[in-house]
Amino acid sequence: MSVGFTEVADRVYVLRQPGLDVNVTLIVGDAAALVVDTLSTPDEATELIRAARQVTGLPWSVVNTHHHFDHCFGNELVAGDPPAAIWAHQETARLLHRPVETIRTEAYQEMAPTHPRLAEALRHATVRPPDHTVARTESVDLGGRTVQLWHPGRGHTVGDLVVRIPDADVLVAGDLVEQSGPPSFTDAYPLEWPDTLAELLRELGPDSVVVPGHGDRVGRDFVAAQHSELVALEWLIRAGHADDAPIERVAAQAPYDPLVAAPAVARGYAELANRA
Ligand SMILES: [Zn+2]
């Protein structure tokens, strides 16, 4: 299937990959470009490169918003030869430096029940880890335009990184914000995610464009609504833990499908138990 980039703000382009509805963002400056997230398979990465080359002939560097396969398994091809810089939060880099067999097996097991063909492809993926790391913030100069890489805290994963394009009032949020489905909690920090989104909200104005990890572009109000849901979930987890309530019972009260919320409750309980 042929996919292309759409300009969503001045020289900021988004490609929506139809399979898992992942967003890839391409930011173009006067001297260089930046590709944010690299999709799952060689076919997807090849299509992404072709689409990006229809927009710009400039050299690019790469950003991974986090370590999940649908945001980074295309690194090898998208970085190219000689390889471009690949930026990520230091914890994302650490996770992607684990043995490749471990990383592939995680991806395979996640997708096998629902997407067997994709799962099979992931089993043979190359995984090129990031080589430029961010602790809190870094700036990347694209020539006449500077973008900021920012770790606002833990949330969807241990190493969430967002990309700010201040001159275009765009924020690329990765899976800290999801539009086409509920937030995903398998590797999440449900007690910290609300504070992390509050950090993002402080940076967003009424006209800001937010590119979620999956789905349609959103604005400040959508992020504020997701923040409220995550705050509600956090307090359900805290109250449930204090009462020794079973995970399923707390998950049933959450503002998400109980199957979505159950891992959040489990992870929240584990964190509270560790703190005690
Ligand atoms: Zn993710």
Side-chain angles (χ1 to χ4, degrees):
M1 188 182 308
S2 177
V3 291
F5 279 95
T6 303
E7 189 169 23
V8 302
D10 178 32
R11 291 169 297 150
V12 179
Y13 307 83
V14 173
L15 176 149
R16 260 177 97 162
Q17 199 279 329
L20 299 176
D21 204 2
V22 185
N23 285 316
V24 178
T25 306
L26 172 67
I27 306 147
V28 180
D30 293 336
L34 193 67
V35 177
V36 185
D37 287 340
T38 62
L39 302 176
S40 304
T41 63
D43 284 352
E44 291 178 9
T46 301
E47 188 79 347
L48 152 56
I49 293 163
R50 185 197 58 74
R53 280 296 169 229
Q54 290 182 345
V55 175
T56 180
L58 292 172
W60 59 55
S61 42
V62 174
V63 174
N64 296 143
T65 56
H66 61 292
H67 73 283
H68 289 155
F69 69 87
D70 46 332
H71 301 266
C72 66
F73 273 21
N75 279 0
E76 175 90 26
L77 284 172
V78 177
D81 186 19
I86 304 176
W87 291 88
H89 184 259
Q90 57 196 20
E91 287 296 315
T92 297
R94 178 184 61 77
L95 287 163
L96 291 174
H97 271 101
R98 291 175 302 159
V100 66
E101 204 47 49
T102 306
I103 298 169
R104 285 173 181 161
T105 301
E106 278 177 4
Y108 172 79
Q109 287 172 345
E110 188 188 340
M111 283 297 113
T114 53
H115 296 74
R117 272 181 54 200
L118 173 60
E120 201 49 46
L122 297 174
R123 204 178 204 163
H124 306 287
T126 55
V127 181
R128 185 178 188 93
D131 45 28
H132 285 56
T133 59
V134 181
R136 184 74 184 170
T137 57
E138 293 288 342
S139 293
V140 179
D141 180 5
L142 302 180
R145 158 174 252 189
T146 301
V147 300
Q148 291 162 357
L149 314 182
W150 175 33
H151 171 64
R154 304 194 293 190
H156 173 67
T157 68
V158 66
D160 298 305
L161 193 67
V162 304
V163 181
R164 293 183 63 216
I165 307 116
D167 66 60
D169 199 9
V170 176
L171 184 138
V172 184
D175 287 1
L176 281 173
V177 178
E178 290 205 44
Q179 187 277 333
S180 56
S184 165
F185 294 102
T186 319
D187 295 319
Y189 291 79
L191 307 179
E192 297 173 39
W193 200 335
D195 287 348
T196 300
L197 278 198
E199 288 282 321
L200 294 192
L201 284 169
R202 273 191 272 282
E203 299 296 322
L204 296 176
D207 300 322
S208 298
V209 173
V210 178
V211 182
H214 301 256
D216 264 330
R217 295 179 296 286
V218 297
R220 191 181 195 286
D221 288 352
F222 182 94
V223 180
Q226 194 174 100
H227 175 251
S228 298
E229 291 174 351
L230 289 166
V231 168
L233 177 62
E234 177 194 351
W235 288 102
L236 284 171
I237 293 170
R238 289 183 184 280
H241 187 258
D243 292 345
D244 269 335
I247 286 173
E248 311 77 64
R249 204 166 82 207
V250 176
Q253 296 173 275
Y256 304 109
D257 185 289
L259 289 176
V260 170
V265 181
R267 287 185 63 88
Y269 273 21
E271 202 177 328
L272 290 167
N274 278 335
R275 287 182 198 173

